[in-house]
Amino acid sequence: MSVNIYYENDTNPKLLADKRICVLGYGSQGNAHSRNLADSGLNVVVGLREGSKTFDKVKSQGLEPVEITAAIKSADIICFLLPDTAQPAVYKQYVEPNIKPGAAMLFAHGFNLHYGQIIPKPENDVIMVAPKGPGKLVRDLYEQGQGVPCLCAVAQDASGQAKDLALAYAWGIGGARAGVIETTFEEETETDLFGEQAVLCGGLSALMKAGFETLVEAGYAPEMAYFECIHETKLIIDLIYQGGLKKMRHFISETAKYGDITRGPRVVPPEAKQEMRRILDEIQDGRFAREWVLENQANLPVYHALLRKDEKHQMEQVGAQLRGMMKWLGE
Ligand code: NAD
Ligand code: MG
Ligand code: MG
Ligand code: MG
Ligand code: MG
Protein backbone atom coordinates (compact mmCIF):
# COMPACT_ATOMS: atom_id res chain seq x y z
CA MET A 1 0.00 0.00 0.00
CA SER A 2 1.42 3.39 -0.95
CA VAL A 3 0.39 6.63 0.71
CA ASN A 4 -0.33 10.11 -0.63
CA ILE A 5 2.25 12.68 0.41
CA TYR A 6 1.59 16.41 -0.05
CA TYR A 7 4.04 19.31 -0.11
CA GLU A 8 3.76 23.11 0.01
CA ASN A 9 2.87 23.31 -3.71
CA ASP A 10 -0.12 21.04 -3.10
CA THR A 11 -1.56 23.36 -0.45
CA ASN A 12 -3.81 26.39 -0.78
CA PRO A 13 -2.96 28.75 2.10
CA LYS A 14 -5.51 31.29 0.77
CA LEU A 15 -8.16 29.00 2.23
CA LEU A 16 -7.11 30.29 5.66
CA ALA A 17 -6.85 33.97 4.74
CA ASP A 18 -10.21 35.01 6.21
CA LYS A 19 -10.42 32.28 8.84
CA ARG A 20 -9.98 32.70 12.56
CA ILE A 21 -8.12 29.88 14.27
CA CYS A 22 -8.67 29.16 17.96
CA VAL A 23 -6.04 27.00 19.66
CA LEU A 24 -7.15 25.23 22.84
CA GLY A 25 -4.23 24.15 25.03
CA TYR A 26 -0.88 25.91 25.23
CA GLY A 27 1.39 22.96 26.00
CA SER A 28 3.85 21.14 23.75
CA GLN A 29 1.80 21.24 20.52
CA GLY A 30 -0.45 24.23 21.28
CA ASN A 31 2.47 26.57 21.88
CA ALA A 32 4.29 25.52 18.70
CA HIS A 33 1.23 25.48 16.43
CA SER A 34 -0.08 28.88 17.51
CA ARG A 35 3.27 30.62 17.17
CA ASN A 36 3.98 29.05 13.78
CA LEU A 37 0.47 29.88 12.52
CA ALA A 38 0.85 33.50 13.67
CA ASP A 39 4.28 33.77 12.02
CA SER A 40 2.71 32.40 8.82
CA GLY A 41 0.47 35.50 8.87
CA LEU A 42 -2.69 33.73 10.00
CA ASN A 43 -5.37 34.96 12.37
CA VAL A 44 -4.88 32.89 15.52
CA VAL A 45 -6.00 33.26 19.14
CA VAL A 46 -5.37 31.05 22.15
CA GLY A 47 -8.56 30.12 24.00
CA LEU A 48 -8.04 30.08 27.78
CA ARG A 49 -10.33 29.47 30.72
CA GLU A 50 -11.05 32.46 32.94
CA GLY A 51 -8.20 33.07 35.40
CA SER A 52 -5.80 30.80 33.48
CA LYS A 53 -2.19 31.09 34.61
CA THR A 54 -1.13 30.81 30.98
CA PHE A 55 -2.61 34.23 30.06
CA ASP A 56 0.63 36.18 30.62
CA LYS A 57 2.78 33.60 28.88
CA VAL A 58 0.62 33.71 25.75
CA LYS A 59 0.82 37.52 25.72
CA SER A 60 4.56 37.58 26.31
CA GLN A 61 5.02 35.28 23.30
CA GLY A 62 3.22 37.81 21.10
CA LEU A 63 -0.09 35.97 20.84
CA GLU A 64 -3.63 36.94 21.72
CA PRO A 65 -5.26 35.14 24.67
CA VAL A 66 -9.07 35.13 24.54
CA GLU A 67 -11.58 33.76 27.05
CA ILE A 68 -12.45 30.27 25.85
CA THR A 69 -16.20 30.71 25.21
CA ALA A 70 -15.72 33.94 23.24
CA ALA A 71 -12.81 32.38 21.36
CA ILE A 72 -14.89 29.36 20.32
CA LYS A 73 -17.91 31.44 19.29
CA SER A 74 -15.82 33.43 16.81
CA ALA A 75 -13.60 30.58 15.56
CA ASP A 76 -13.62 29.01 12.11
CA ILE A 77 -11.12 26.33 13.17
CA ILE A 78 -10.94 25.01 16.73
CA CYS A 79 -7.73 23.12 17.50
CA PHE A 80 -7.87 20.50 20.25
CA LEU A 81 -4.30 20.68 21.54
CA LEU A 82 -5.29 19.68 25.06
CA PRO A 83 -4.33 16.43 26.77
CA ASP A 84 -6.39 13.67 25.16
CA THR A 85 -7.97 12.82 28.52
CA ALA A 86 -9.21 16.44 28.96
CA GLN A 87 -10.69 16.88 25.48
CA PRO A 88 -14.13 15.22 25.92
CA ALA A 89 -15.08 17.43 28.91
CA VAL A 90 -13.84 20.59 27.18
CA TYR A 91 -15.86 19.63 24.09
CA LYS A 92 -19.04 19.06 26.14
CA GLN A 93 -18.72 22.15 28.31
CA TYR A 94 -17.33 24.77 25.92
CA VAL A 95 -17.22 23.65 22.31
CA GLU A 96 -20.51 21.86 21.67
CA PRO A 97 -22.71 24.73 22.91
CA ASN A 98 -20.69 27.46 21.16
CA ILE A 99 -19.18 26.16 17.93
CA LYS A 100 -20.35 27.92 14.75
CA PRO A 101 -22.12 25.83 12.12
CA GLY A 102 -19.53 25.33 9.39
CA ALA A 103 -16.56 25.68 11.72
CA ALA A 104 -13.92 22.94 11.70
CA MET A 105 -12.53 20.93 14.61
CA LEU A 106 -8.88 19.98 14.32
CA PHE A 107 -7.06 17.27 16.26
CA ALA A 108 -3.42 16.20 16.55
CA HIS A 109 -4.35 12.65 17.60
CA GLY A 110 -7.46 10.63 16.79
CA PHE A 111 -8.26 8.81 20.05
CA ASN A 112 -11.35 10.76 21.13
CA LEU A 113 -12.93 10.82 17.69
CA HIS A 114 -12.13 7.24 16.79
CA TYR A 115 -13.43 5.79 20.06
CA GLY A 116 -16.53 7.99 20.23
CA GLN A 117 -15.48 10.07 23.25
CA ILE A 118 -16.29 13.20 21.23
CA ILE A 119 -19.28 13.03 18.89
CA PRO A 120 -19.13 16.05 16.57
CA LYS A 121 -22.16 17.67 15.01
CA PRO A 122 -22.70 16.71 11.36
CA GLU A 123 -22.35 20.34 10.18
CA ASN A 124 -18.70 20.64 11.31
CA ASP A 125 -15.58 19.51 9.48
CA VAL A 126 -13.39 17.21 11.57
CA ILE A 127 -9.76 17.05 10.51
CA MET A 128 -6.37 15.98 11.84
CA VAL A 129 -2.92 17.47 11.45
CA ALA A 130 -0.46 15.54 13.58
CA PRO A 131 3.22 16.48 13.50
CA LYS A 132 5.51 13.46 13.84
CA GLY A 133 7.57 15.18 16.51
CA PRO A 134 7.32 17.08 19.79
CA GLY A 135 6.17 20.71 19.88
CA LYS A 136 9.64 22.07 20.52
CA LEU A 137 10.92 20.53 17.28
CA VAL A 138 7.84 21.80 15.39
CA ARG A 139 8.73 25.33 16.55
CA ASP A 140 12.53 25.14 16.20
CA LEU A 141 12.46 23.73 12.66
CA TYR A 142 9.82 26.26 11.59
CA GLU A 143 12.12 29.10 12.72
CA GLN A 144 14.95 27.54 10.68
CA GLY A 145 12.77 27.47 7.55
CA GLN A 146 12.23 23.73 7.82
CA GLY A 147 9.37 21.60 9.12
CA VAL A 148 8.40 18.36 10.84
CA PRO A 149 6.55 15.86 8.61
CA CYS A 150 2.86 15.67 9.51
CA LEU A 151 -0.02 13.27 9.15
CA CYS A 152 -3.33 14.60 7.87
CA ALA A 153 -6.77 13.00 7.90
CA VAL A 154 -10.42 13.82 7.50
CA ALA A 155 -13.08 12.25 9.73
CA GLN A 156 -15.96 14.45 8.61
CA ASP A 157 -16.15 16.61 5.48
CA ALA A 158 -19.14 18.92 5.93
CA SER A 159 -17.71 21.78 3.86
CA GLY A 160 -16.43 19.70 0.97
CA GLN A 161 -13.04 21.33 1.61
CA ALA A 162 -11.94 19.51 4.74
CA LYS A 163 -8.83 17.93 3.25
CA ASP A 164 -7.66 21.22 1.70
CA LEU A 165 -8.23 22.89 5.04
CA ALA A 166 -6.04 20.30 6.78
CA LEU A 167 -3.31 20.74 4.16
CA ALA A 168 -3.45 24.54 4.48
CA TYR A 169 -3.10 24.22 8.26
CA ALA A 170 -0.14 21.88 7.78
CA TRP A 171 1.38 24.61 5.58
CA GLY A 172 0.74 27.12 8.39
CA ILE A 173 2.69 25.16 10.98
CA GLY A 174 5.51 24.39 8.53
CA GLY A 175 4.74 20.70 8.14
CA ALA A 176 4.16 20.89 4.37
CA ARG A 177 7.80 21.98 3.93
CA ALA A 178 8.76 18.44 4.93
CA GLY A 179 5.70 16.58 3.63
CA VAL A 180 2.20 15.67 4.78
CA ILE A 181 1.22 12.02 4.74
CA GLU A 182 -2.46 11.28 4.25
CA THR A 183 -3.96 8.79 6.68
CA THR A 184 -7.26 8.16 8.49
CA PHE A 185 -8.27 8.78 12.11
CA GLU A 186 -8.51 5.00 12.50
CA GLU A 187 -5.03 4.27 11.18
CA GLU A 188 -3.34 7.12 13.06
CA THR A 189 -5.00 6.20 16.36
CA GLU A 190 -4.43 2.47 16.19
CA THR A 191 -0.82 2.63 14.98
CA ASP A 192 0.01 5.35 17.52
CA LEU A 193 -1.35 3.30 20.42
CA PHE A 194 0.27 0.12 19.18
CA GLY A 195 3.66 1.76 18.68
CA GLU A 196 3.78 3.30 22.13
CA GLN A 197 2.51 0.14 23.86
CA ALA A 198 4.40 -2.59 22.05
CA VAL A 199 7.64 -0.86 21.11
CA LEU A 200 8.45 2.74 22.02
CA CYS A 201 7.31 3.01 25.61
CA GLY A 202 6.00 -0.35 26.82
CA GLY A 203 8.21 -2.74 24.88
CA LEU A 204 11.41 -0.75 25.29
CA SER A 205 11.08 -0.09 29.02
CA ALA A 206 10.18 -3.74 29.68
CA LEU A 207 13.16 -4.89 27.59
CA MET A 208 15.60 -2.62 29.43
CA LYS A 209 14.20 -3.60 32.81
CA ALA A 210 14.45 -7.33 32.02
CA GLY A 211 18.05 -6.94 30.86
CA PHE A 212 18.97 -4.93 33.96
CA GLU A 213 17.35 -7.48 36.30
CA THR A 214 19.03 -10.42 34.56
CA LEU A 215 22.51 -8.97 35.11
CA VAL A 216 21.84 -7.87 38.71
CA GLU A 217 20.27 -11.23 39.63
CA ALA A 218 23.41 -12.91 38.23
CA GLY A 219 25.55 -10.89 40.66
CA TYR A 220 26.86 -8.07 38.47
CA ALA A 221 27.05 -4.51 39.78
CA PRO A 222 23.81 -2.57 39.25
CA GLU A 223 25.87 0.36 37.95
CA MET A 224 27.31 -1.87 35.20
CA ALA A 225 23.85 -3.26 34.42
CA TYR A 226 22.42 0.25 34.17
CA PHE A 227 25.04 1.47 31.72
CA GLU A 228 24.89 -1.64 29.53
CA CYS A 229 21.13 -2.19 29.40
CA ILE A 230 19.61 1.26 29.83
CA HIS A 231 21.90 4.27 29.50
CA GLU A 232 23.57 3.20 26.28
CA THR A 233 20.30 2.66 24.42
CA LYS A 234 20.46 6.35 23.45
CA LEU A 235 23.63 5.89 21.44
CA ILE A 236 22.05 3.03 19.52
CA ILE A 237 18.72 4.80 18.99
CA ASP A 238 20.43 7.95 17.70
CA LEU A 239 22.23 5.90 15.05
CA ILE A 240 19.03 4.12 14.02
CA TYR A 241 17.18 7.49 13.92
CA GLN A 242 19.82 8.87 11.55
CA GLY A 243 20.40 5.90 9.30
CA GLY A 244 18.39 2.84 10.21
CA LEU A 245 19.78 -0.50 11.40
CA LYS A 246 22.41 -0.21 8.66
CA LYS A 247 24.07 2.87 10.15
CA MET A 248 23.84 1.47 13.68
CA ARG A 249 25.50 -1.78 12.57
CA HIS A 250 28.19 0.17 10.76
CA PHE A 251 29.25 1.86 14.00
CA ILE A 252 29.08 -1.03 16.50
CA SER A 253 31.84 -3.60 16.79
CA GLU A 254 31.90 -6.79 14.71
CA THR A 255 31.35 -8.75 17.93
CA ALA A 256 28.34 -6.62 18.87
CA LYS A 257 26.95 -7.04 15.37
CA TYR A 258 27.25 -10.84 15.44
CA GLY A 259 25.60 -10.95 18.89
CA ASP A 260 22.86 -8.65 17.63
CA ILE A 261 21.84 -10.75 14.64
CA THR A 262 22.14 -14.16 16.32
CA ARG A 263 20.76 -13.39 19.82
CA GLY A 264 18.25 -10.61 19.17
CA PRO A 265 15.62 -12.90 17.64
CA ARG A 266 15.86 -15.14 20.74
CA VAL A 267 14.88 -12.21 22.95
CA VAL A 268 11.92 -11.36 20.73
CA PRO A 269 10.76 -14.83 19.63
CA PRO A 270 7.59 -15.54 17.60
CA GLU A 271 5.60 -15.78 20.87
CA ALA A 272 6.36 -12.11 21.50
CA LYS A 273 4.77 -11.28 18.17
CA GLN A 274 1.71 -13.30 19.13
CA GLU A 275 1.39 -11.14 22.25
CA MET A 276 1.84 -8.01 20.11
CA ARG A 277 -1.01 -9.26 17.94
CA ARG A 278 -3.23 -9.59 21.04
CA ILE A 279 -2.30 -6.06 22.11
CA LEU A 280 -3.25 -4.85 18.63
CA ASP A 281 -6.57 -6.74 18.80
CA GLU A 282 -7.41 -4.93 22.06
CA ILE A 283 -6.66 -1.60 20.38
CA GLN A 284 -8.70 -2.44 17.28
CA ASP A 285 -11.80 -3.71 19.09
CA GLY A 286 -11.87 -0.83 21.59
CA ARG A 287 -10.99 -2.85 24.71
CA PHE A 288 -7.90 -0.79 25.43
CA ALA A 289 -9.83 2.46 24.94
CA ARG A 290 -12.62 1.31 27.26
CA GLU A 291 -10.10 0.22 29.90
CA TRP A 292 -8.29 3.57 29.75
CA VAL A 293 -11.47 5.68 29.79
CA LEU A 294 -12.83 3.71 32.78
CA GLU A 295 -9.45 3.87 34.54
CA ASN A 296 -9.62 7.68 34.25
CA GLN A 297 -13.19 7.72 35.58
CA ALA A 298 -12.02 5.65 38.57
CA ASN A 299 -9.27 8.24 39.29
CA LEU A 300 -6.41 6.11 37.97
CA PRO A 301 -5.86 3.39 40.63
CA VAL A 302 -3.99 0.91 38.40
CA TYR A 303 -2.02 3.71 36.76
CA HIS A 304 -0.75 5.01 40.11
CA ALA A 305 -0.03 1.57 41.56
CA LEU A 306 2.04 0.42 38.60
CA LEU A 307 3.93 3.70 38.25
CA ARG A 308 4.79 3.66 41.96
CA LYS A 309 6.24 0.18 41.58
CA ASP A 310 8.57 1.27 38.79
CA GLU A 311 9.59 4.46 40.62
CA LYS A 312 10.89 2.27 43.45
CA HIS A 313 12.73 -0.11 41.14
CA GLN A 314 16.45 -0.37 41.73
CA MET A 315 17.20 0.68 38.15
CA GLU A 316 15.67 4.10 38.80
CA GLN A 317 17.74 4.66 41.95
CA VAL A 318 20.95 3.57 40.24
CA GLY A 319 20.12 5.68 37.20
CA ALA A 320 19.65 8.82 39.32
CA GLN A 321 23.00 8.21 41.01
CA LEU A 322 24.84 7.69 37.72
CA ARG A 323 23.30 10.75 36.12
CA GLY A 324 24.76 12.69 39.04
CA MET A 325 28.18 11.84 37.54
CA MET A 326 27.06 13.29 34.19
CA LYS A 327 25.82 16.77 35.05
CA TRP A 328 26.12 17.80 31.39
CA LEU A 329 23.23 15.43 30.52
CA GLY A 330 20.44 17.84 31.43
CA GLU A 331 21.92 20.74 29.50
P1 NAD B 1 0.33 19.02 26.72
O1 NAD B 1 0.00 18.21 27.90
O2 NAD B 1 1.75 19.40 26.44
O3 NAD B 1 -0.48 20.42 26.78
C1 NAD B 1 -1.83 20.49 27.03
C2 NAD B 1 -2.22 21.90 27.46
O4 NAD B 1 -3.61 21.91 27.79
C3 NAD B 1 -1.49 22.42 28.68
O5 NAD B 1 -1.16 23.77 28.44
C4 NAD B 1 -2.54 22.34 29.80
O6 NAD B 1 -2.37 23.36 30.75
C5 NAD B 1 -3.83 22.54 29.05
N1 NAD B 1 -4.96 21.89 29.71
C6 NAD B 1 -4.98 20.75 30.43
N2 NAD B 1 -6.24 20.45 30.82
C7 NAD B 1 -7.02 21.43 30.33
C8 NAD B 1 -8.41 21.68 30.41
N3 NAD B 1 -9.23 20.84 31.06
N4 NAD B 1 -8.89 22.77 29.80
C9 NAD B 1 -8.08 23.63 29.13
N5 NAD B 1 -6.73 23.45 29.04
C10 NAD B 1 -6.23 22.36 29.63
O7 NAD B 1 -0.33 18.31 25.45
P2 NAD B 1 0.36 17.96 24.05
O8 NAD B 1 1.42 16.95 24.25
O9 NAD B 1 0.66 19.21 23.33
O10 NAD B 1 -0.85 17.20 23.33
C11 NAD B 1 -1.89 17.88 22.68
C12 NAD B 1 -2.44 16.97 21.59
O11 NAD B 1 -1.41 16.76 20.63
C13 NAD B 1 -2.86 15.59 22.05
O12 NAD B 1 -3.98 15.19 21.31
C14 NAD B 1 -1.66 14.73 21.72
O13 NAD B 1 -1.98 13.36 21.54
C15 NAD B 1 -1.22 15.37 20.42
N6 NAD B 1 0.17 15.16 20.00
C16 NAD B 1 1.20 15.39 20.87
C17 NAD B 1 2.51 15.22 20.45
C18 NAD B 1 3.68 15.50 21.39
O14 NAD B 1 4.81 15.23 21.01
N7 NAD B 1 3.49 16.06 22.58
C19 NAD B 1 2.78 14.84 19.14
C20 NAD B 1 1.71 14.65 18.24
C21 NAD B 1 0.42 14.82 18.71
MG1 MG C 1 2.82 8.38 18.43
MG1 MG D 1 0.34 8.54 21.53
MG1 MG E 1 28.67 -1.99 25.92
MG1 MG F 1 30.39 -3.30 23.65
Side-chain angles (χ1 to χ4, degrees), residues 293-313:
V293 169
L294 292 178
E295 172 70 9
N296 273 282
Q297 285 172 9
N299 293 320
L300 304 164
V302 174
Y303 171 95
H304 286 303
L306 294 179
L307 285 178
R308 239 188 338 262
K309 221 169 110 198
D310 267 359
E311 276 161 24
K312 288 193 198 129
H313 195 285

Side-chain angles (χ1 to χ4, degrees), residues 139-252:
R139 179 61 185 163
D140 288 350
L141 287 183
Y142 180 92
E143 288 187 299
Q144 294 165 24
Q146 304 185 67
V148 174
C150 290
L151 305 179
C152 80
V154 172
Q156 208 166 270
D157 187 5
S159 68
Q161 291 189 308
K163 181 166 150 185
D164 289 333
L165 198 63
L167 291 176
Y169 185 95
W171 168 85
I173 62 170
R177 296 168 180 173
V180 186
I181 299 172
E182 187 173 14
T183 181
T184 62
F185 273 64
E186 176 184 31
E187 182 179 56
E188 185 276 336
T189 304
E190 294 176 356
T191 56
D192 182 78
L193 292 173
F194 179 79
E196 67 201 16
Q197 293 175 20
V199 182
L200 305 177
C201 309
L204 187 59
S205 48
L207 179 69
M208 294 191 296
K209 199 203 291 188
F212 175 88
E213 287 172 352
T214 302
L215 285 180
V216 172
E217 284 162 17
Y220 296 99
E223 290 78 6
M224 299 294 289
Y226 191 88
F227 271 122
E228 292 302 330
C229 297
I230 299 174
H231 185 76
E232 287 180 18
T233 51
K234 173 166 166 52
L235 310 173
I236 297 299
I237 294 293
D238 282 349
L239 290 167
I240 297 172
Y241 186 77
Q242 289 163 6
L245 295 181
K246 187 171 182 200
K247 179 159 185 180
M248 182 270 285
R249 286 174 177 162
H250 178 75
F251 279 93
I252 62 178

Side-chain angles (χ1 to χ4, degrees), residues 31-47:
N31 179 290
H33 289 218
S34 43
R35 293 165 82 189
N36 291 4
L37 292 166
D39 288 350
S40 292
L42 301 171
N43 178 357
V44 53
V45 299
V46 180

Side-chain angles (χ1 to χ4, degrees), residues 66-130:
V66 175
E67 189 279 319
I68 186 166
T69 302
I72 290 166
K73 280 184 174 161
S74 66
D76 300 296
I77 303 176
I78 298 167
C79 309
F80 285 79
L81 301 176
L82 306 156
D84 296 299
T85 46
Q87 291 176 10
V90 170
Y91 178 73
K92 265 278 162 236
Q93 187 179 350
Y94 298 106
V95 180
E96 195 175 48
N98 297 305
I99 186 172
K100 286 199 292 199
M105 301 205 298
L106 181 141
F107 294 86
H109 175 45
F111 186 98
N112 287 306
L113 249 287
H114 183 54
Y115 294 115
Q117 300 304 300
I118 290 177
I119 313 236
K121 301 180 196 181
E123 68 261 29
N124 297 116
D125 284 353
V126 181
I127 58 180
M128 180 194 310
V129 176

